Amino acid sequence: MLPTRMERANGAATTRTLAGRAQARTRVLVVEDEGDIAGLIRHTLERGGDVAVDVAMSGDEALKVATADPPDLIILDLNLPVMGGLEVCRLLRSRPGTAGVPIIMLTARTSEGDRVTGLDAGADDYVTKPFSLRELSARVRAVLRRGRGDGAAPAPAVYRGRHLVADFDAVSIAVDGEPVRLTRREFELLKYLVENRSRVLSRDRLLERVWGYDRLIETRSVDVHVGRLRGKLGEAGKQIETVVGLGYRFVE
Ligand code: CA
């Protein structure tokens, strides 16, 4: 592969970490203490040539690496020695530099309770072990697409559904052509749900992103606001699904 312009410009400075840090490629940090699994993931993701993988073997190392130079995505094993994946996830989410980095959690457990805990800790998605590498790759691509949706290159700010037309830049919401008046919070809630459509969002996640993290607010107030928002949106309100035990999802 030819070096990118940035690699050439930086010359020797990037040579040391070229494989893991090439700027033009998507950078994924894999946090997994089992070397075989980490190696397989690295091999799979790097095969296409557009992803560069770094591996951290412990939670502590992951925090250091991710904080020093936040990657585009983190694949985080739940089962790590000393500091577990959930704790790593919470710490990453609590730090400004890494709060927005998408996280896919790897978990050997399959109970709904563990999935909820993972999503509540701030994971964007989870894959249960044993997983197929093809499935993991697909999840990585999906999360990266979503990340671009609310990140560097925002998705179009106008959503047009069967009933709902929401122009988020103009702060104009209409259902079946009739304008709908939303409170600031309801508007932000709808915007976040729509921007992350098809994706399950936990109550904690919504609180964090829509309200700004505040432990004084109960997760119950998310339900209250979703209820009011649904009521105001009429037919389009049905697009906000309750995912039992997990949270909410905006569907097409
Ligand atoms: Ca492990």
Side-chain angles (χ1 to χ4, degrees), residues 32-34 77 79:
E32 168 63 273
D33 58 312
E34 288 158 87
D77 187 31
N79 189 15

Side-chain angles (χ1 to χ4, degrees), residues 8 48 110 128 145 151 153 158 179 186 188-189 203 220 250:
R8 283 198 299 271
T110 52
T128 47
R145 271 199 306 274
V158 182
E186 289 160 355
E188 293 296 336
L189 182 59
R203 291 170 177 81
R220 172 92 183 87
F250 186 89

Side-chain angles (χ1 to χ4, degrees), residues 17-67:
T17 54
L18 199 57
R21 297 284 172 84
Q23 295 290 314
R25 291 189 278 170
T26 301
R27 292 169 45 241
V28 175
L29 175 63
V30 173
V31 190
E32 168 63 273
D33 58 312
E34 288 158 87
D36 288 356
I37 296 177
L40 275 174
I41 296 172
R42 181 210 286 268
H43 177 75
T44 304
L45 296 183
E46 287 190 337
R47 196 160 42 197
D50 52 354
V51 171
V53 172
D54 273 327
V55 174
M57 305 287 278
S58 71
D60 192 47
E61 188 190 347
L63 288 173
K64 278 189 196 132
V65 171
T67 306

Side-chain angles (χ1 to χ4, degrees), residues 193-205:
L193 284 164
V194 170
E195 281 174 351
N196 294 281
R197 51 186 171 271
S198 307
R199 172 185 188 183
V200 179
L201 300 166
S202 74
R203 291 170 177 81
D204 273 5
R205 178 94 174 178

